[in-house]
Each structure stands twice: as C-alpha cells, then as structure tokens.
Amino acid sequence: MAEGLRERKKRQTRQYISDVATGLFMERGFDEVTLAEIARAADVSVNTVYNYFPAKEDLFFDRSKGLIDRLARFVRARRVGESAAAAVLRELREEVESVSPKVGLIEGYERFMKVVHGSAALQARLWYMQREQYEELEAALRREAGADGDDPMPGLIAGQINWVHQTLMASIAQEMVAGRKPEVVSREALVLLDEMEELLSERVLNYAVRAAD
C-alpha cells in the first residue's frame, strides 16, 4: 500500500528529530542533553518530540524494535532440517563474515557504545531490551516446538541462544571501543562463534528442527 503524504511527512519528521538528537548525544553525551534542547535544535515543540518519542531513551535507541525480535525472526525463518540454534548461529556468522553494522562492525560504533557506557539510564534501557529479546525468543521457540505452557525447555534453550548472541555483541563492542578495525574484529568474532558453538550441548543444537512440509 502506497505511503500517503501525511504518513510520509510524519515519518520524515520523526527521522529528523531522531537524527538531530543523535548528533547532540554523540557530541555531548546522553545525560547532558535535554528534550528541550533537542526540540529547539530540531525546530519543533517539546510536545512534538514527546508525540514521537515517549522517553528520551527512545530517541537514542530509535531502531530498537528490529533488534528486540531479531533472534525470534531467525528462528521462525530457519530452513528445513535446521534447528533453532543452528539458524541463529548461521545468521550471526553471515552478518559477522559480511562485516555488517547489524552486529556493530562499523566505523563509529565505538562512539555509540561510549555514550551508552556513560549513561546509567541507557545501560538500564539496554538491559531491558535484552530481556525483551530473550522473552521474544522464548515465545518463538515455544510456538515452533509446540511446547506446553509449563514446559521449561523453551526458556532454557532461549537462555543458551541468547548467551551466544549477547556474548558475541559484547565482545565486538569491547574490541570496537578499543579502536580495532571492523575487518579484524570480524575474523576474531568468527573464531569466538565457533568456540561458543562447541560449548552448546547436542540437546540445544538439535532443538526445534524444522520438519519438511
């Protein structure tokens, strides 16, 4: 369905406010910038900012929705004969091998992470987002495996898969903040993924294998 003029203007306004806020956050730090300053810089009212972003953290993590259901999407899109864990490992390897910004392998990512590390509010929001990501993954595993509501296995498997993802992201972030080149960090991250896969049990690696239709 084609995007209407009103919807396009709203989307463009939202993106402009987000871009202005990101520039201020990168320059001065998250806690040092107020919503009033963002509104002035974007030439809109404070109420307009609130209409698009209920909290200041929403401005910083503007693209968080795609991150929260990311692992669940990998599981739902797994191939025939592929388990949930295998699908996530494959997707992560492909992103790391292609030096993708999706896993933080991009010049300038260190600036983003330094702002996060400098704000307790952003660290708290990041933790909450990671928790939501786990819950989305657990729900997807429960549906895909046809598990009962009281079956603990989807949660246990989700915990293992989530550990792989969070460990990978934390390692990449640490190396990027240290000033390493994305291409170099990519090669080391692939080794880390192999080592983590070796630590996963056969039960984890063979959970929720997609059957042929």
Side-chain angles (χ1 to χ4, degrees):
M1 188 173 181
E3 182 181 40
L5 177 61
R6 185 169 180 270
E7 288 73 21
R8 183 167 69 254
K9 284 186 174 181
K10 288 176 65 176
R11 176 177 56 79
Q12 291 172 341
T13 299
R14 187 184 193 281
Q15 187 60 57
Y16 180 66
I17 294 171
S18 174
D19 291 344
V20 168
T22 297
L24 292 172
F25 294 148
M26 293 298 109
E27 178 183 352
R28 294 167 48 197
F30 181 79
D31 294 337
E32 303 305 317
V33 178
T34 68
L35 284 173
E37 289 175 311
I38 294 169
R40 284 198 300 271
D43 196 24
V44 298
S45 69
V46 172
N47 283 341
T48 297
V49 176
Y50 273 120
N51 286 339
Y52 288 101
F53 303 95
K56 194 167 74 164
E57 292 84 354
D58 296 321
L59 278 159
F60 190 83
F61 292 115
D62 185 24
R63 296 170 177 82
S64 64
K65 182 174 177 55
L67 298 175
I68 289 170
D69 68 347
R70 153 185 176 81
L71 300 181
R73 289 200 314 272
F74 292 166
V75 169
R76 290 192 295 267
R78 70 196 186 284
R79 300 165 179 170
V80 171
E82 190 174 47
S83 71
V88 172
L89 286 164
R90 174 178 53 77
E91 295 276 5
L92 292 177
R93 281 197 180 92
E94 289 175 359
E95 291 180 349
V96 171
E97 286 175 346
S98 63
V99 194
S100 172
K102 294 179 181 179
V103 286
L105 293 169
I106 184 174
E107 297 287 352
Y109 185 66
E110 71 281 359
R111 294 177 60 206
F112 175 86
M113 290 308 303
K114 284 178 180 177
V115 174
V116 173
H117 292 161
S119 170
L122 288 181
Q123 291 180 56
R125 173 59 70 88
L126 183 59
W127 179 89
Y128 182 75
M129 288 165 51
Q130 291 169 345
R131 179 66 190 180
E132 287 184 303
Q133 188 176 64
Y134 163 81
E135 291 173 351
E136 288 275 346
L137 176 60
E138 190 271 344
L141 287 169
R142 190 171 298 280
R143 287 192 299 270
E144 295 295 314
D148 295 333
D150 59 353
D151 185 349
M153 195 53 60
L156 296 175
I157 301 296
Q160 294 293 298
I161 295 174
N162 201 49
W163 163 73
V164 170
H165 181 253
Q166 297 304 333
T167 301
L168 174 69
M169 297 299 293
S171 176
I172 289 174
Q174 180 178 347
E175 296 305 316
M176 294 300 294
V177 168
R180 311 279 308 282
K181 291 293 184 183
E183 296 79 8
V184 176
V185 177
S186 170
R187 292 194 293 271
E188 295 176 356
L190 287 172
V191 174
L192 177 62
L193 274 172
D194 288 342
E195 291 174 342
M196 287 192 287
E197 181 172 3
E198 290 179 1
L199 293 174
L200 297 177
S201 71
E202 288 300 313
R203 192 167 186 184
V204 174
L205 292 171
N206 292 300
Y207 188 80
V209 173
R210 168 153 283 164
D213 294 334

